[in-house]
């Protein structure tokens, strides 16, 4: 089973991202956002210590108005990637049930 997180963007679009997937403006980003305030490789989904996290790469992340470099994804979490970007909200998480290597 593949670990993944489902994000809701804006008014109802959903995207599933897994470990190693990038959010940003570059054309290869798993979640591409056409926003000049989002960097090419803005954030990365990472599987660490049995949890999916969102790590800031070359951009900022904000949760509840506070700037953070990483955040453990949890139900209902809202992450702002820039002051003008539509927020990205976590809606679902799936992790493998077997031990992670």
């Amino acid at each position: 089973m593949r670990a993944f997180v489902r994000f809701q963007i804006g008014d109802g679009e959903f995207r599933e991202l897994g470990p190693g997937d990038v959010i940003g403006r570059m054309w290869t980003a798993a979640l591409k956002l056409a926003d000049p305030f989002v960097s090419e490789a803005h954030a990365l989904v990472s599987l660490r210590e049995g949890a999916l996290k969102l790590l800031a790469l070359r951009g900022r992340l904000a949760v509840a108005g506070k700037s953070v470099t990483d955040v453990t994804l949890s139900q209902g979490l809202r992450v702002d990637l820039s002051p003008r970007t539509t927020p990205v909200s976590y809606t679902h998480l799936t992790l493998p049930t077997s031990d992670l290597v």
Side-chain angles (χ1 to χ4, degrees):
M1 176 192 318
R2 176 181 180 261
F4 72 90
V5 61
R6 183 176 299 130
F7 288 106
Q8 181 174 2
I9 300 97
D11 59 355
E13 179 184 349
F14 290 91
R15 279 293 184 61
E16 290 182 358
L17 301 171
D21 284 342
V22 172
I23 298 172
R25 285 193 343 251
M26 65 185 183
W27 68 273
T28 57
L31 176 53
K32 186 174 179 180
L33 298 173
D35 179 334
F37 293 97
V38 170
S39 70
E40 292 84 1
H42 198 91
L44 172 78
V45 176
S46 179
L47 181 59
R48 296 183 177 198
E49 301 169 358
L52 281 173
K53 297 185 177 218
L54 193 59
L55 310 177
L57 294 176
R58 295 189 310 188
R60 87 182 251 300
L61 301 176
V63 176
K66 291 187 174 185
S67 189
V68 296
T69 57
D70 65 87
V71 61
T72 300
L73 299 171
S74 60
Q75 187 67 34
L77 180 72
R78 175 185 153 144
V79 179
D80 293 305
L81 302 175
S82 82
R84 298 182 186 186
T85 302
T86 301
V88 179
S89 299
Y90 157 81
T91 63
H92 178 79
L93 172 70
T94 299
L95 291 171
T97 55
S98 62
D99 290 339
L100 301 173
V101 179

